[in-house]
Amino acid sequence: MPSTFRAASTVTLSCLLLAGCTSAPLDSSSPSGSGSSPAASSGAGGAGRAIAVGAGPQKKYTVQQQPAAGTCHYRYEHGEPLEDPACTPGAISPAVTQANLASTVCRKGGYTSGVRPSTYVTAQEKKLNAASYGFTGSMGDAEYDHLISLQLGGDPNDARNLWVEPADPGHRKGSGVNNLKDPVETKLHTAVCSGKVTLAAAQQAIATDWTTALSTLGLS
C-alpha cells in the first residue's frame, strides 16, 4: 500500500509540474429537460469553463422548464443588466460550427427566422423566467433574450441560454424593447462572418459578459 501511494503521488506531482493535466468540465446538465448534451464544449470553452451544447433547432418546440421562482439574480455592470451565470450560463447549438458558417449563421437570406421558437412557446417561457429572476417590471419593455444570440449559434430553446433581460438604464417605460446588447450581437456576428474572430471566441465573450465582449476581442 505505501509503495502504491508513493507512485500515485509521484504521478500527481509530475502532472502538476508539467501542467499536462486537464480537469473535467463543469457539470452543465440541463434544467430544461430537453435532453441536451451536458458540458460539451465543441471548441467554445475557455475563460475557465466550457459552454454547454443544447438540443439545437427542432421541428416543434415545447415550453421548457425554468429555474425555480426567485432563485436567479441579476448582476449590473455600469447600470446594464447581466444574467445570473448560475441560471443562464449559455448554451450553443450543435447545428452551427466554424466549418459550416457559410451555410448557417452567415448565409445570405438569414438563418435565425428558420430556427426561432414560436411566440406561443416563448411567451410562456418568458413569464416563467420572469418569476425565476423575480422580475416585476414591464414585460413589454423586457426582452426574452438568447444570451448567446441565434446569429452567433446560440441554442434556440435551451433554458440555459434564455433570460428575461430588463430594459437599459434610462429606457422610457412603455417604449418597447431596445437593448444595447443587440448591436453588440450584430457586431460580433459581422466579425465572425468576416473571419476577424472565431465563432467560439465570440460565443465565449458574450456568454462571459456582453458589456465587455467587443473590447475583449479587440472590436470596440
Side-chain angles (χ1 to χ4, degrees), residues 114-177:
V115 301
R116 190 181 299 276
S118 69
T119 54
Y120 172 79
V121 169
T122 57
Q124 296 179 70
E125 292 177 344
K126 182 178 182 179
K127 183 177 180 180
L128 293 170
N129 190 265
S132 302
Y133 273 89
F135 178 78
T136 58
S138 169
M139 293 292 279
D141 290 337
E143 180 177 355
Y144 190 45
D145 176 69
H146 290 90
L147 179 61
I148 302 173
S149 64
L150 295 181
Q151 61 182 335
L152 291 174
D155 193 85
N157 199 39
D158 193 303
R160 294 169 292 187
N161 196 44
L162 283 154
W163 63 302
V164 172
E165 180 185 4
D168 292 317
H171 182 79
R172 183 168 58 84
K173 188 175 180 179
S175 61
V177 174

Side-chain angles (χ1 to χ4, degrees), residues 20-113:
C21 291
T22 56
S23 59
L26 297 179
D27 181 10
S28 301
S29 55
S30 173
S32 65
S34 63
S36 303
S37 304
S41 67
S42 193
R49 69 178 180 87
I51 298 179
V53 179
Q58 305 292 305
K59 290 183 178 180
K60 183 177 181 180
Y61 291 103
T62 57
V63 176
Q64 298 298 290
Q65 180 181 345
Q66 303 296 312
T71 59
C72 305
H73 306 282
Y74 292 112
R75 301 173 292 141
Y76 288 86
E77 291 290 342
H78 306 294
E80 292 290 345
L82 276 73
E83 78 297 336
D84 185 332
C87 293
T88 318
I92 57 177
S93 170
V96 180
T97 66
Q98 185 68 37
N100 70 9
L101 291 176
S103 61
T104 55
V105 296
C106 299
R107 75 176 180 223
K108 292 182 178 179
Y111 163 82
T112 62
S113 62

Side-chain angles (χ1 to χ4, degrees), residues 171-218:
H171 182 79
R172 183 168 58 84
K173 188 175 180 179
S175 61
V177 174
N178 183 21
N179 292 317
L180 293 180
K181 181 173 179 284
D182 295 336
V184 171
E185 296 170 351
T186 300
K187 289 179 180 179
L188 289 174
H189 174 259
T190 300
V192 167
C193 292
S194 65
K196 288 184 178 180
V197 300
T198 65
L199 176 67
Q203 291 171 337
Q204 186 65 63
I206 201 165
T208 300
D209 184 341
W210 71 263
T211 68
T212 62
L214 295 177
S215 60
T216 296
L217 298 174

